[in-house]
Amino acid sequence: MCLFQSAARRLLPQLRCGLKASSSKKQKFGLEMARPSSNMADFREVFAKAKHITIITGAGVSAESGVPTFRGAGGFWRKWQAQELATPGAFARNPSRVWEFYHYRREVMLSKHPNPAHIAIAECEKRLSKQGRSVVVITQNIDELHRKAGTKQLLEIHGSLFKTRCTSCGNVAANYKSPICPALAGKGAPDPDTEDAAIPVEDLPQCEEDGCNGLLRPHVVWFGEALDPGVLTAVEKELDICDLCLVVGTSSVVYPAAMFAPQVSARGVPVAEFNMEPTPATNRFRFHFPGPCGTTLPPALARHETEIIS
C-alpha cells in the first residue's frame, strides 16, 4: 500500500472538504526536514531532471488575478462568510441566497484572467510534453483559471464554478451562461446592506436534461461533503508517480490537500513550496520560495539550459 493510501485510510473520516489539520494529525506526517532551501539554482537542477511533475495549487495562485479568497478577515459576502453559505444545509434552507452568492462569484470570474503563475504552469506543461515529460495540476480552486491559461492535465478536487449538478437526476454539465438564469440577472451584490432577492425555487437554475426540470446546484464540493472518489483516485496515482512536487499558493491547513505534499516528501521526493509566507508544512519540504507566485514561479518553470526542444 502506498504512503498516500495508508494516510488516506487512517484519515478517512477527515477526507471531507474544509476540515483543518489538528496538531495531532500534523505529527503523523513524520519527522521534519532541515530548514528548506530558497536556492533557485538548486531547484532548477532538480526540475531539469524531473519526468513527472505534480503541481498542487490553492487560492493564493488566483488571488493575484483579483479573485476573492473568502478566507480570513474581510472575507465576507454581505454578512456571511463562504463557510456559512457553501454547505448542503445552507442550500436546503435558502437556495435563492446560495445561488445569489455563486452567481456573484461566477460573474466576477468571467472578468478575471490568468496571471503569470497560471501561464507559466500551462506553458511548462506544453513544453515538457514534447520531451516525454508530464506536468499534472491538482487544484483546490474552482475558478477555472488554470483551464483558461491552457492547462490540460488538471484535477479540480473541489469542482468548478462553471459546472452544475442536478439535485434530482444528478446530471453534471458545463454552464457558462451569464446570467445563469433570468431571475439572477443583476443579483448577487456583495454589499452588507443588500437584501436577499428571495427568488422562488422554480425560477432558479433548472435541469434541462430530458425534461427533468430539477433544481440545479453548483458542482462544487461544499464544506462537510466528501470529495469525488474518482478524482481522489486520480490524485493518488499522480502523487505515487511524481518525482517532483510543487505546492503553489496554498496554506497547507485544509484536508485532504494538506496531506498531499507531505506524503510525497515522506517518500523522499523533492517538494518546493511557492507561497507568500511559510505554512505549517514548510519545514517538511526541500525548497521554499517566498513571495507572489506570479513573480517566483515563472523563472522556476522556464526552459532549463539542458532541455532539448525538437
Side-chain angles (χ1 to χ4, degrees):
M1 181 180 292
C2 71
L3 283 168
F4 177 72
Q5 286 178 315
S6 176
R9 301 299 181 268
R10 292 197 304 270
L11 299 173
L12 193 59
Q14 283 77 39
L15 288 180
R16 293 178 179 274
C17 179
L19 296 182
K20 293 188 177 181
S22 67
S23 57
S24 61
K25 294 294 190 301
K26 291 176 186 177
Q27 299 304 315
K28 293 189 178 182
F29 286 136
L31 297 175
E32 291 188 356
M33 297 172 62
R35 188 177 184 86
S37 168
S38 294
N39 188 309
M40 182 62 75
D42 288 349
F43 168 80
R44 294 279 291 163
E45 289 300 312
V46 174
F47 167 74
K49 299 172 184 176
K51 302 294 185 183
H52 303 283
I53 302 172
T54 295
I55 303 178
I56 302 167
T57 69
V61 74
S62 292
E64 293 175 49
S65 292
V67 178
T69 63
F70 292 103
R71 285 194 180 276
F76 283 82
W77 177 82
R78 296 181 185 170
K79 61 182 178 181
W80 295 281
Q81 286 191 302
Q83 294 89 325
E84 300 176 74
L85 297 169
T87 71
F91 190 71
R93 289 189 298 271
N94 197 327
S96 174
R97 176 186 297 155
V98 172
W99 259 121
E100 276 200 84
F101 173 58
Y102 279 94
H103 169 68
Y104 164 74
R105 296 182 71 179
R106 284 166 58 95
E107 294 297 301
V108 166
M109 283 314 309
L110 288 172
S111 69
K112 302 302 180 184
H113 303 284
N115 63 56
H118 295 107
I119 294 168
I121 291 170
E123 290 180 346
C124 179
E125 177 197 14
K126 182 178 180 180
R127 188 181 78 249
L128 296 193
S129 68
K130 298 176 182 177
Q131 304 169 29
R133 303 161 68 190
S134 69
V135 175
V136 177
V137 176
I138 300 169
T139 188
Q140 302 170 73
N141 300 335
I142 62 175
D143 52 43
E144 292 202 5
L145 285 178
H146 282 300
R147 209 175 287 281
K148 276 188 177 181
T151 294
K152 305 299 183 185
Q153 300 298 316
L154 180 64
L155 296 171
E156 297 167 311
I157 65 172
H158 291 162
S160 167
L161 278 173
F162 299 101
K163 290 181 181 177
T164 58
R165 184 166 80 248
C166 180
T167 58
S168 180
C169 72
N171 182 60
V172 175
N175 188 312
Y176 295 91
K177 294 179 182 177
S178 175
I180 190 170
C181 69
L184 283 167
K187 307 298 182 184
D191 307 287
D193 295 331
T194 304
E195 297 291 331
D196 286 351
I199 300 168
V201 172
E202 59 269 22
D203 291 334
L204 292 173
Q206 304 290 316
C207 181
E208 299 176 359
E209 183 73 8
D210 297 326
C212 172
N213 296 320
L215 175 64
L216 296 179
R217 57 162 279 180
H219 185 55
V220 298
V221 181
W222 281 332
F223 289 94
E225 290 186 322
L227 273 65
D228 185 317
V231 174
L232 279 178
T233 297
V235 167
E236 175 185 326
K237 176 185 175 182
E238 296 305 326
L239 296 177
D240 282 349
I241 67 172
C242 74
D243 53 6
L244 174 62
C245 179
L246 279 63
V247 185
V248 183
T250 177
S251 59
S252 295
V253 297
V254 178
Y255 276 112
M259 73 181 186
F260 293 166
Q263 286 298 325
V264 170
S265 180
R267 64 180 179 88
V269 173
V271 176
E273 183 180 57
F274 296 78
N275 205 38
M276 287 296 295
E277 55 192 20
T279 71
T282 297
N283 285 341
R284 298 183 177 91
F285 303 150
R286 186 176 301 185
F287 299 99
H288 173 76
F289 297 101
C293 304
T295 300
T296 58
L297 204 57
L301 297 182
R303 178 174 177 249
H304 191 270
E305 60 185 11
T306 61
E307 289 183 33
I308 299 175
I309 307 296
S310 58

